[in-house]
Amino acid sequence: MNTRPRVEAAPVKAGLREWSALGVLMLATVLLAIDGTVLYLAVPALTADIAPTATQMLWIGDVYSFALAGLLVTMGNLADRIGRKRLLLIGSIGFGLASALAAFSTTPEMLIAARVLLGVAGATIMPSTLSIARNLFTDPVQRTTAIAAWTAGATGGAALGPLVGGLLLEHYWWGSVFLINVPLMIVVVIAGILLIPESKNPDGGRLDLTSAALSVAAIVSIVFAVKHAVGTGLDWTVPATVALGVGAGWAFLLRQRALTQPLVDVSLFRLPAFSGAVAADTIAIFAFIGVMFFFSQHLQLVMGMTPFQAGLAELPATIATVVVVGIVGYLLTRLGRGRAIAAGLALSALGLVGLAITEGWSTYWGMGISLAVIGLGVGAAMTLSTDAVVSAAPPERAGAAASIAETAYEFGVALGIAVLGTLHTLVYRASLQIPENVSTADRDALHDSLATATYRLPDSPDLLEHAQHAFTSGVQTVSLIAAALLVIAAAVAFKVIPSQGEPTHSRRNGSIRGVVR
């Protein structure tokens, strides 16, 4: 790394332009987060139109997040080198074009490809939004508030997805959930040009393409293994791709230690506040999105709600994540960072247990309370963990640090859908009680998914009732599993993330070292 001493300017209070620029960044963040969950309520309509299989539907749902997670580290470093504003604007234009392609897809394969392009474009936007916010706000108090607002956009956007999707699906075809991105991205581009200043690392050096390829190979290989095990079964390709992914990941880490300008500064992970926050971020969104993916379908396919009604039913989670912005400062002051993150994770676990219990009820109010509890806990944990990750790195490495925080977020989204989705499918199929006199075609439809069965067997209410009970059992099971993971994560956060003092950084012999004030 460059050994020239870095002189940090005294913090300057942000003004109207900086807060207006944050509004533009939040709009981009909300759009990306919405795009990760807006499809949930469109599953029945999409299934009726282009008839994807259960495996294809899982790919449509999470390939967007996998593409994001695979490229975020690379794009965060690229933003540091070529300019964060420049990459943000390029990505926004690409996102708008990919959204139009997704909206008018006519086959599952075409939609999967469009979702991949959306993920690639999104990967150029996400690190830029958070790293620009990190550089816009040099005052620590204002920076924490700005990051809290950014995090609310990410978590609130994910929760808003079903509501936006439901509103659009009440009046338009399923492609409208993508087409809405186009005019909003035009606003981001125009406002971004006018309001956002350019920033980059003056000593960034060249982007290491080998590291970039290794990071993508590690994530994609492991994801393929999970997908193949669900869709096709356990054959020789599963251990082979897992080995490839682990090997690529290990080679990536070794290379980062040897490079003078690494894509990921692995020394940051020696900071308990940093490594613990990354883990907390991943597990929190893993549980939240993994359960919500199937809960959205439960509201429609089991409880008989319209898409818009289902979106409204999930509104308590959205409101709770926004409320967090107003109380996170109090939690941090009162409990300290580690204890506050642990408390948020534990509260989310309690909400998931409540959701598992109340999903079997015929009324909604129990589920609504549980959703609010989940949203409040996840919002608090993610706000504080993201702030810890981004604040641990110096300003010139803001893009790289932001990419780590967002990789944790997106990888949690993708794994939540893949892993909990896999478990849900296994429980659903194991719980099915299909009479022996059912035809092979009807049996295959029931076995594939509840969405497929609802579409193909509208005149068989008894069979659908069996499938609905099995689906509910699956959602309850994954809710309890997610709750258990959050309890473990809360214990780890309580143990390893400091609650006294705040993580910061210093330069010593050209390297980033963590200290505690």
Side-chain angles (χ1 to χ4, degrees), residues 238-391:
V238 174
T241 49
V242 167
L244 176 62
V246 172
W250 183 250
F252 174 81
L253 292 176
L254 292 178
R255 187 170 180 83
Q256 302 318 292
R257 292 173 180 169
L259 292 173
T260 56
Q261 291 287 342
L263 262 66
V264 173
D265 187 349
V266 294
S267 67
L268 286 173
F269 286 92
R270 298 187 191 125
L271 289 169
F274 185 88
S275 56
V278 170
D281 206 9
T282 304
I283 295 174
I285 201 64
F286 170 95
F288 180 66
I289 298 297
V291 170
M292 293 304 292
F293 180 79
F294 289 98
F295 181 70
S296 296
Q297 297 178 54
H298 172 85
L299 293 173
Q300 292 181 85
L301 300 175
V302 177
M303 300 192 68
M305 293 185 181
T306 66
F308 183 60
Q309 288 172 337
L312 286 177
E314 295 181 7
L315 196 56
T318 307
I319 295 172
T321 57
V322 175
V323 168
V324 164
V325 177
I327 65 171
V328 70
Y330 172 80
L331 292 175
L332 187 60
T333 302
R334 186 76 175 174
L335 301 177
R337 188 179 300 278
R339 286 191 290 266
I341 292 175
L345 294 170
L347 187 64
S348 301
L350 180 64
L352 284 170
V353 172
L355 193 65
I357 294 172
T358 57
E359 276 173 328
W361 295 4
S362 58
T363 57
Y364 163 78
W365 65 268
M367 289 183 287
I369 294 173
S370 299
L371 287 173
V373 172
I374 294 169
L376 193 63
V378 168
M382 286 193 59
T383 294
L384 294 170
S385 60
T386 301
D387 189 25
V389 172
V390 175
S391 299

Side-chain angles (χ1 to χ4, degrees), residues 34 39 71 81 101 133 154 269 286 298 304 331-332 355 373 407 410 437 447 467 495:
I34 285 177
L39 202 61
L71 291 171
R81 287 161 171 79
L101 179 63
F269 286 92
F286 170 95
H298 172 85
L331 292 175
L332 187 60
L355 193 65
V373 172
T407 298
E410 294 299 339
N437 62 343
H447 191 261
K495 182 72 174 177

Side-chain angles (χ1 to χ4, degrees), residues 20 43 60 91 104 106 162 167 171 235 242 246 302 308-309 327 334 344 365 434 439 449 472 476 514:
S20 299
V43 169
I60 291 169
F104 296 106
T106 55
L167 181 61
H171 304 285
D235 55 29
V242 167
V246 172
V302 177
F308 183 60
Q309 288 172 337
I327 65 171
R334 186 76 175 174
W365 65 268
I434 306 174
S439 67
S449 68
T472 301
Q476 290 174 318

Side-chain angles (χ1 to χ4, degrees), residues 97-337:
L97 294 174
S99 296
L101 179 63
F104 296 106
S105 294
T106 55
T107 65
E109 293 81 8
M110 184 177 176
L111 182 55
I112 291 171
R115 292 281 283 172
V116 171
L117 294 176
L118 281 168
V120 173
T124 67
I125 299 173
M126 285 294 277
S128 299
T129 59
L130 188 52
S131 57
I132 290 171
R134 167 71 172 84
N135 280 273
L136 279 175
F137 299 91
T138 58
D139 178 77
V141 175
Q142 287 189 325
R143 185 176 65 235
T144 299
T145 302
I147 291 176
W150 181 93
T151 306
T155 54
L160 268 176
L163 180 60
V164 173
L167 181 61
L168 291 171
L169 292 167
E170 284 286 305
H171 304 285
Y172 308 104
W173 94 115
W174 61 266
S176 62
V177 301
F178 296 113
L179 199 59
I180 191 66
N181 294 334
V182 176
L184 294 176
M185 277 301 174
I186 292 174
V187 173
V188 170
V189 171
I190 295 174
I193 292 173
L194 297 175
L195 294 172
I196 299 174
E198 184 61 279
S199 63
K200 59 183 176 180
N201 183 0
D203 303 316
R206 297 180 62 185
L207 183 69
D208 184 53
L209 296 180
T210 301
S211 294
L214 287 172
S215 68
V216 174
I219 294 173
V220 172
S221 297
I222 293 174
V223 170
F224 176 84
V226 173
K227 288 294 188 183
H228 190 77
V230 178
T232 306
L234 292 171
D235 55 29
W236 68 270
T237 63
V238 174
T241 49
V242 167
L244 176 62
V246 172
W250 183 250
F252 174 81
L253 292 176
L254 292 178
R255 187 170 180 83
Q256 302 318 292
R257 292 173 180 169
L259 292 173
T260 56
Q261 291 287 342
L263 262 66
V264 173
D265 187 349
V266 294
S267 67
L268 286 173
F269 286 92
R270 298 187 191 125
L271 289 169
F274 185 88
S275 56
V278 170
D281 206 9
T282 304
I283 295 174
I285 201 64
F286 170 95
F288 180 66
I289 298 297
V291 170
M292 293 304 292
F293 180 79
F294 289 98
F295 181 70
S296 296
Q297 297 178 54
H298 172 85
L299 293 173
Q300 292 181 85
L301 300 175
V302 177
M303 300 192 68
M305 293 185 181
T306 66
F308 183 60
Q309 288 172 337
L312 286 177
E314 295 181 7
L315 196 56
T318 307
I319 295 172
T321 57
V322 175
V323 168
V324 164
V325 177
I327 65 171
V328 70
Y330 172 80
L331 292 175
L332 187 60
T333 302
R334 186 76 175 174
L335 301 177
R337 188 179 300 278

